[in-house]
Amino acid sequence: MAGSGLAAALAPHRRVLMIEAEDAPGYHATGRSAAFWQQSYGGPGVQPLTAASFEALAHPDPAFSDRPFLLPRSSLIVGRTEEAPMVDAFIATFAARGVDVAPLAAAELATRVPGLRAGWTAAASEPSCRDIDVAALHAACLRAARRGAAMLATRAPLIAARREADGWTVETGRGTVRAAVIVNAAGAWADRVAAACGAAPMGIRPYRRTMAQVRLGAPVPAALPLIVHVGGDFYFKGAGEGRIWLSPHDETPSPPGDAAPEDIDVALAIARLQTVVDWPVAAVERKWAGLRSFAPDRLPVFGADPHVSGFVWCAGQGGFGIQTAPAISALLAAGLGAPMPGGAIGAIDPAAFSPARFA
């Protein structure tokens, strides 16, 4: 998503080549997203990017997409009785930033989450949460990039790049190309790409996140809100009648690669679920894992490298890269020759996300 979103924004203004190591783009983190837009997700530092991306996701330009990318969902942040101060702090933090969050009474929580076990009484409602049609968004970005004459080379991993007086010579698995600028949108591989280009790493670290689709022996509605534990132990949401998507909210340090779920993490997710609700688990129908990559301060990194001319970062999007993609793509494209966006995106100061903050 980082690369395709930027290519879509930049292709009308620059000549763009996307190089992709896999057989097709979107194989790793983008294709394994939990697929929701939630303003509070990622914390206060990420929230402006998420909020500013809403309009492009909810009401895209008809030339970009003939349908919105956001679908109804809503979310609840929940905690045990003793975790009520954490829920109160969550509400105070995000309400102060203009997010629509409000306390939810224990009786209402029990109504919204049938089968809720005793002791889960602290909750906040975040009704603006939506599902994201990630596949449609990614496909729309690729179509827009192609319309702008951007090119895509698959099975073309970066081997090395050499900076010369007039630009870059880039060796890939499918040959050598010349470029004025390299944008490092390599996700979990971002620091390795930097090293191959002679740039210092930013400390981008990948972490494995596990997901499972679980069939339940209880009539749980497909429209069940996204349920997020205020302490970070789990989240789950409806995925069809009697089914949920479930995660133990794990962050296991992992090397870049094709992430696979561990059975112990799926078991942990189910064990945590069953402390919250009395829904019997009939079957684990699917399980998968993806790598979420974070900078040391857990904020995205996008902008020009402070030491290597013509080397630009677009990395460290963590688990919020899809919901912030319109804002990040537009802001970074503006620094590379596209017009500066207006509205909420144009009001964001990209300096907060610049690689120079680690210089």
Side-chain angles (χ1 to χ4, degrees), residues 101-204:
V101 292
L104 191 70
E108 177 64 16
L109 175 62
T111 299
R112 300 277 299 275
V113 186
L116 189 70
R117 294 189 186 277
W120 292 87
T121 61
S125 172
E126 190 174 345
S128 63
C129 177
R130 299 287 187 270
D131 281 345
I132 305 176
D133 188 338
V134 177
L137 176 62
H138 187 224
C141 288
L142 291 172
R143 286 195 304 270
R146 286 195 298 269
R147 284 196 301 270
M151 295 175 287
L152 169 64
T154 57
R155 297 189 293 277
L158 176 72
I159 296 171
R162 184 174 65 257
R163 180 70 186 173
E164 297 169 343
D166 58 346
W168 292 92
T169 298
V170 183
E171 297 178 46
T172 80
R174 293 187 58 184
T176 301
V177 297
R178 294 279 301 161
V181 174
I182 293 175
V183 178
N184 178 5
W189 288 263
D191 273 0
R192 291 189 182 181
V193 164
C197 297
M202 289 287 162
I204 306 290

Side-chain angles (χ1 to χ4, degrees), residues 236-289:
F236 56 91
K237 67 175 184 175
E241 293 299 321
R243 289 174 170 81
I244 59 171
W245 277 13
L246 169 66
S247 174
H249 213 264
D250 49 332
E251 285 191 0
T252 305
S254 301
D258 190 357
E262 299 282 349
D263 287 342
I264 191 170
D265 293 323
V266 176
L268 177 63
I270 292 171
R272 290 177 175 177
L273 173 73
Q274 294 185 323
T275 68
V276 185
V277 290
D278 63 4
W279 306 334
V281 172
V284 176
E285 296 183 321
R286 293 173 55 214
K287 54 186 177 180
W288 66 98

